[in-house]
Amino acid sequence: MAIRTLAYGLKVSSNPTPRVMREMLLKSWIDGRSALDWAIANDCQVFLSDKKVLALMDEAWKYGGPAYTDWVDVPNHPCHVWQHLFYHRQHWLHVITNYLARWAAPRYQALVALFCGLIYLGLHLATLANADYQGEYPRPHEYAYYFLVVSDVLLSLSTLRKPSTLFSLGVVFLLVASMILRLVAFVADDLAAQATYIFWSFVLLAWATPLMIFRVALWMGDLSWHVAKVRYVVDRAMRDAFWVLVIGAIALLAFWISLGALWRGENVSVLALLRYLALGALHTPVIGDTIQWMPWAAGVMLFAYLAIMLLVIGTLLTASMITTVLLLWPAMPHIRQTFFAQRAARRSGFGVFLPTVAIELVISLVGLLLTGVFRMKNDSRVLRWLELVRQVLWFMVYLPVILVVALVEAVVVLAKKVF
């Protein structure tokens, strides 16, 4: 009812000011949620499709509020800790901080996340391309890469409630295991053990490479609707087809046990048999190795296994994914609208990314000490200065990204004026 009343007010209002629009839609009112949050939670598509709401959502995503609004006028902006440093708005530093304050907006935060992810991926590929990986100590850029790996672990553990973290944890597990094996290898006394550690370290690094490349879709999902759409459809299709995958896993386990019984007494690893069956489900030629012992009995079982895997499981998996896509496609405009609303509803703030995890950890521990031991209030002068120090360090770390984006934006603005 409240959302309907607000929608009616927007409809009959001729031209509400940007600040009024922001207060109405983005300010937290009930249970820490804004009107936009409640509209998303209740799927109020008529409200979200209003032109005035769409305009404010676009500006909230790009600038953290109405376009070109001074950060001093934005309630609860994280840059308010700077306010006591400026006596009037004509101060020359205010021009700089007004641009820097934009970097608390969701779009700029997404750009920082993408740049950090691409640098992380670049260091990963550089480490993978090291021809002397198994013969020398890590190079300087590899130490930087391992620093980001440790930061990735801490950041993933702190965001376990996000669905994308489950995928990231698998990648992080491979990267951490690879790093530990390599570092252990360099302190091992046994040369054979050292060679084994280095070998498996490189194998795990190679296994993690495709997953690292797939993570680019996670890093740029907020910047592109098309990428977000692919992520949404694939995630929904995999969840809907989970029951098919479970049946496939049960069939694989059942025939592995049965064929393993036929191979009993032979000098063959049961893990090798499992590998043959798994590859056989993917149409690979090594499946023939499963019938070199007891060809007739194993051949009958192999025929049944492939018939179930290829004809039944494969067909069910394909049908399930096609059904999901067909069901989602008519609702795609509503999903698109909700996507734009969700990214616009995010609070302005300077987020935690891989390069600054260590800084955030130290600042958080100091803040916990001040509030827990010394009983300081959140609005105390010391904690405001602590937040100011955190923001200064944040801008120092990400200054190259800020300069690159500022240069691109200046070129775009100049091109629009010229052409």
Side-chain angles (χ1 to χ4, degrees), residues 50-127:
D50 183 88
K51 292 182 179 180
K52 297 171 185 177
V53 176
L54 289 174
L56 183 66
M57 286 195 306
D58 183 63
E59 292 175 350
W61 156 250
K62 292 180 179 178
Y63 309 108
Y68 308 110
T69 302
D70 198 316
W71 58 269
V72 178
D73 296 329
V74 178
N76 300 320
H77 196 283
C79 285
H80 279 181
V81 294
W82 295 83
Q83 197 167 356
H84 69 281
L85 298 178
F86 306 103
Y87 299 98
H88 52 80
R89 299 189 180 190
Q90 302 302 319
H91 198 290
W92 65 273
L93 282 176
H94 188 75
V95 178
I96 299 176
T97 57
N98 210 31
Y99 176 76
L100 294 179
R102 285 191 190 180
W103 284 84
R107 182 184 63 158
Y108 287 95
Q109 291 294 293
L111 287 173
V112 174
L114 177 60
F115 272 91
C116 292
L118 292 178
I119 292 172
Y120 188 22
L121 178 61
L123 290 174
H124 175 88
L125 295 178
T127 303

Side-chain angles (χ1 to χ4, degrees), residues 319-339:
S320 175
M321 291 189 173
I322 293 176
T323 302
T324 300
V325 174
L326 293 177
L327 290 175
L328 288 178
W329 209 253
M332 202 55 67
H334 288 174
I335 297 173
R336 180 176 181 269
Q337 196 63 51
T338 303
F339 164 76

